[in-house]
Amino acid sequence: MSGGLLVAGTTSDAGKSVVTAGICRWLVRQGVKVAPFKGQNMSLNSFVTREGAEIGRAQAMQAQAARVEPTALMNPVLLKPGSDRSSQVVLMGRPVGELSARGYHGGRQQALLGTVVECLQELRATHDVVICEGAGSPAEINLRRNDIVNMGIARAAGFPVVVVGDIDRGGVFAQFFGTTALLAPEDQALVAGYLVNKFRGDVTLLEPGLDMLHGLTGRRTFGVLPYAHGLGIDEEDGLRVSLRGAVRESVVAPPVGEDVLRVAVCAVPLMSNFTDVDALAAEPGVVVRFVDRPEELADADLVVVPGTRGTVRALAWLRERGLADALVRRAAEGRPVLGVCGGFQALGEHIEDDVESRAGAVEALGLLPVRVRFAPEKTLARPVGEALGEPVEGYEIHHGVADVRGGEPFLDGCRVGSVWGTHWHGSLESDGFRRAFLREVAAAAGRRFVPAPDTSFGALREEQLDRLGDLIEEHADTEALWKLIENGPPGDLPFVPPGAP
């Protein structure tokens, strides 16, 4: 078979990513060879595949849920915002230019539909099922003409559509009805029904509303997923730490040592790959928070300056907020600071940027003996190495080329005292290295913190993916979903007026 399904949403962050991952994990448990797919993604949280292609990190997570290796086919178009009005366009894992929103939606997007459909067809040829994730809402009527990720791809593939709504935000019945009623008849014919996400309470109280919704639209609800506390996975954007919630809400993971370790992450503009700190948050006794004021660094045992799509802009922000001075004081006092990718560049001495910001020569914070030159070509790599006596692996996504002129070697970057810098994302997911790093931080901070000897970040992520699969198996009508995937949309779905204007 070569079936499929599109998981759309009433809004952004309605739960499309987690539902797609949950369906992938449910299917692979049934022995189905399944692949995730998102034709177009807008995110600063990205990942590098084995073949060196950049894709949305959510699709890499969904591939893990499906127990397949992520590839560029699963996310052929990735948009990485550089401002409110423009984004870098990454096509098949490689950057191809910078476009304004008007320029992209004005014609370039539609030109990419052929590539998107070809990728989907290739995945369908090599897998039993493809589960597609939409973007935003399928009822964004101003964008429908050039759509390549919602109803445009569903219609091209003939896939049925299930619309997910976040009931925790309220208004979900109006969202379901309005989403359907704003679609053209041809698009409505693919919308098979709905899936309620994040429900709290007694589901029997919801059932009369679901019955009325069925009467109004002729479409059924395929499940009511309960609000799952502490459940987080790699997101597209935002400031929620994926695994932090799971650790904070757990009473079975107290600190191993006598002290906790406090980590402050500078919430720089255009933050990228904020999931780098998830592995820290997964450690018992490590408290992670995002900060934007210098006084919030005072009690931090470790400050992380994360990656960013705008290093020069982030530097200006750090200075405007007084965080730059606080970081310089920390370094002088021997208090730990870690810079990752753009954060590493900001900790250096000098930046020459005629590519990202086009600001030319910019003085950085001077905490590490590093000079950075931005190259037109983007570095995309999956490095493997050793640090602090432990094996490490990560991934690199950057235009900045670092000329390291001193310090101790550290993951292709350097270390000076208690200041570390590296271009490697994801290094803290290597369990042995993370523990060794935290021991160094605790010693420098004077904390009696002891890393847990058996925390496995990979195992924790698998547990969360299994929980997503459990949500689908236990709270969705999997038999009905399977019929949709296998047979396509029902042929008797009524039109809901008024339809697209």
Side-chain angles (χ1 to χ4, degrees):
M1 65 170 294
S2 180
L5 178 72
L6 174 73
V7 178
T10 57
T11 63
S12 294
D13 203 30
K16 298 182 294 290
S17 294
V18 295
V19 168
T20 299
I23 292 175
C24 285
R25 179 50 61 101
W26 158 60
L27 286 171
V28 78
R29 285 172 173 174
Q30 314 307 310
V32 177
K33 187 177 183 183
V34 57
F37 179 79
K38 186 163 185 171
Q40 172 196 295
N41 199 346
M42 177 174 279
S43 178
L44 289 173
N45 200 18
S46 58
F47 183 76
V48 178
T49 67
R50 293 288 180 195
E51 70 267 29
E54 185 180 8
I55 66 172
R57 191 163 172 110
Q59 278 60 67
M61 174 275 302
Q62 290 161 357
Q64 185 175 349
R67 296 179 181 145
V68 295
E69 188 68 30
T71 73
L73 293 172
M74 297 171 182
N75 180 207
V77 181
L78 173 64
L79 305 179
K80 302 195 72 175
S83 70
D84 292 339
R85 293 176 176 265
S86 67
S87 294
Q88 182 181 68
V89 181
V90 179
L91 178 63
M92 294 303 295
R94 298 287 173 180
V96 294
E98 196 91 13
L99 281 179
S100 67
R102 179 177 293 275
Y104 182 71
H105 291 288
R108 180 65 188 270
Q109 184 181 31
Q110 183 63 25
L112 296 173
L113 179 60
T115 299
V116 170
V117 171
E118 287 173 7
C119 290
L120 178 56
Q121 289 173 340
E122 189 168 341
L123 286 175
R124 294 184 74 181
T126 53
H127 296 78
D128 301 325
V129 173
V130 178
I131 303 298
C132 304
E133 179 189 346
S137 162
E140 290 166 348
I141 52 180
N142 56 315
L143 303 177
R144 175 62 184 92
R145 183 172 61 89
N146 295 319
D147 172 48
I148 64 172
V149 64
N150 288 308
M151 301 312 299
I153 197 68
R155 201 189 293 190
F159 278 177
V161 178
V162 173
V163 181
V164 178
D166 181 353
I167 197 170
D168 194 52
R169 297 181 173 186
V172 76
F173 291 114
Q175 292 169 18
F176 283 145
F177 181 86
T179 296
T180 309
L182 278 177
L183 299 178
E186 297 84 355
D187 288 344
Q188 285 195 25
L190 300 176
V191 177
Y194 315 108
L195 194 63
V196 177
N197 190 31
K198 295 186 181 178
F199 179 73
R200 305 173 190 251
D202 185 350
V203 73
T204 61
L205 298 177
L206 191 65
E207 289 171 353
L210 300 178
D211 291 339
M212 285 186 275
L213 182 67
H214 183 270
L216 289 166
T217 66
R219 288 157 174 85
R220 57 165 300 172
T221 298
F222 289 92
V224 177
L225 307 184
Y227 193 107
H229 291 279
L231 182 62
I233 48 89
D234 296 353
E235 300 177 79
E236 293 180 353
D237 278 307
L239 285 182
R240 186 166 60 200
V241 181
S242 303
L243 286 173
R244 177 174 59 182
V247 172
R248 281 187 168 179
E249 293 171 11
S250 173
V251 295
V252 298
V256 175
E258 297 179 45
D259 288 342
V260 299
L261 211 60
R262 295 175 175 85
V263 179
V265 184
C266 296
V268 297
L270 299 174
M271 188 189 308
S272 62
N273 293 77
F274 58 90
T275 46
D276 281 336
V277 297
D278 282 6
L280 294 178
E283 282 286 346
V286 176
V287 180
V288 178
R289 67 182 187 273
F290 289 91
V291 304
D292 59 6
R293 296 179 299 184
E295 55 268 27
E296 293 178 293
L297 305 189
D299 67 342
D301 302 305
L302 169 66
V303 174
V304 177
V305 187
T308 171
R309 172 86 162 86
T311 300
V312 170
R313 179 175 167 184
L315 259 174
W317 181 87
L318 289 169
R319 287 177 168 133
E320 290 165 4
R321 296 280 178 142
L323 288 161
D325 290 339
L327 288 168
V328 171
R329 287 194 299 272
R330 284 187 67 90
E333 295 165 359
R335 303 177 67 196
V337 176
L338 171 65
V340 180
C341 200
F344 166 44
Q345 297 164 6
L347 297 182
E349 298 172 344
H350 181 83
I351 294 172
E352 194 73 32
D353 181 11
D354 295 318
V355 176
E356 191 175 76
S357 68
R358 296 180 173 85
V362 177
E363 294 305 308
L365 298 185
L367 303 185
L368 292 173
V370 177
R371 300 178 73 85
V372 175
R373 175 185 57 83
F374 275 69
E377 304 79 20
K378 181 183 284 190
T379 296
L380 297 169
R382 290 280 293 269
V384 176
E386 184 177 301
L388 305 180
E390 298 286 346
V392 196
E393 58 182 86
Y395 56 100
E396 295 185 61
I397 306 169
H398 53 92
H399 283 279
V401 178
D403 178 11
V404 179
R405 300 186 172 190
E408 300 176 41
F410 177 74
L411 301 180
D412 292 342
C414 66
R415 170 189 182 178
V416 174
S418 291
V419 180
W420 294 267
T422 177
H423 271 134
W424 292 24
H425 294 288
S427 64
L428 293 165
E429 296 179 19
S430 298
D431 297 326
F433 166 72
R434 181 180 65 253
R435 295 182 193 115
F437 177 72
L438 289 175
R439 282 192 289 270
E440 295 253 352
V441 168
R447 294 288 186 187
R448 289 173 294 182
F449 169 84
V450 178
D454 55 357
T455 300
S456 168
F457 184 77
L460 285 172
R461 176 167 286 168
E462 276 296 306
E463 286 176 15
Q464 290 200 318
L465 294 174
D466 277 333
R467 289 181 65 196
L468 291 177
D470 293 343
L471 282 176
I472 298 298
E473 287 192 26
E474 296 169 10
H475 300 282
D477 187 339
T478 52
E479 183 177 347
L481 285 176
W482 179 250
K483 287 180 180 177
L484 270 186
I485 292 168
E486 194 171 31
N487 302 325
D492 57 350
L493 296 170
F495 172 70
V496 180

